Amino acid sequence: MSKCFRGSVEENKIAASNKTLCSNKMRKAKPKKRVVLPDPVFGDQKVSKFVNHLMYDGKKNTSYHIFYTALETVKAKLPNEEKTPLEIWKKALDNVTPQVEVKSRRIGGATFQVPTEIRPDRKESISMKNLIAFARKRGGKSMADKLAAEIIDAFNEQGGAFKRKEDMHRMAEANRAFAHFRF
């Protein structure tokens, strides 16, 4: 008998015969994914997400200005590159996108770092946040210059954000023995 039925055994048999089984639904509905509108210049949703991560205090126009200025700086610093600045930025983002991460899992009083694959939307978010965080840590004149320098470094597979991805992969590789503890 299922736990869903309430009452006496006879009532449960009647309910089962009537096929009025309770559904095993979750208590709360999953929140709907919000649709991110594409940016005004390139018409790309990824750019809008990046700008939203870059934004402080709701100042989206300032964030767009920083991003577009950074792309212009990238174009000026890499003139002999056949790719557009947007393609360079996307390649830089791909270069700093981690594939696996380690999560703490407590088993039998010991805590293990268990390597797990990352969901695609989380991969994108982590890469954007890392690129922005390491751009903010850089020394430079303006945020646009710092972001441009970090984009160029990530494109060339170097810099802080790329090193962070490499460290995440190295940690996952070192803890590969605990992969069987996966959630």
Side-chain angles (χ1 to χ4, degrees), residues 36-98:
V36 178
L37 296 173
D39 77 299
V41 174
F42 298 110
D44 195 348
Q45 283 186 333
K46 224 177 204 182
V47 172
S48 290
K49 287 180 186 177
F50 189 82
V51 166
N52 287 343
H53 284 297
L54 186 63
M55 181 171 49
Y56 267 143
D57 295 328
K59 309 222 173 202
K60 193 173 273 194
N61 281 338
T62 306
S63 295
Y64 273 123
H65 178 73
I66 289 168
F67 180 73
Y68 295 140
T69 307
L71 288 189
E72 287 172 14
T73 307
V74 166
K75 186 178 182 181
K77 287 187 178 179
L78 298 174
N80 56 353
E81 189 66 42
E82 64 271 357
K83 293 182 177 180
T84 66
L86 185 68
E87 289 171 340
I88 290 172
W89 171 75
K90 284 186 176 180
K91 178 75 173 118
L93 215 56
D94 287 342
N95 287 346
V96 299
T97 302

Side-chain angles (χ1 to χ4, degrees), residues 49-50 52-54 89 92-102 118 121-138 143 146-154 158-169:
K49 287 180 186 177
F50 189 82
N52 287 343
H53 284 297
L54 186 63
W89 171 75
L93 215 56
D94 287 342
N95 287 346
V96 299
T97 302
Q99 304 301 318
V100 288
E101 66 181 345
V102 291
I118 310 176
D121 54 335
R122 181 163 161 75
K123 280 183 195 175
E124 187 179 74
S125 182
I126 288 173
S127 62
M128 288 178 182
K129 285 177 182 175
N130 283 343
L131 198 65
I132 291 165
F134 283 99
R136 285 192 175 126
K137 288 180 186 174
R138 274 178 174 265
M143 183 57 195
K146 293 191 277 190
L147 184 60
E150 191 64 35
I151 289 170
I152 290 169
D153 276 354
Q158 53 194 17
F162 184 76
K163 187 178 180 307
R164 174 69 155 265
K165 173 204 155 187
E166 292 295 310
D167 289 345
M168 287 176 81
H169 281 221

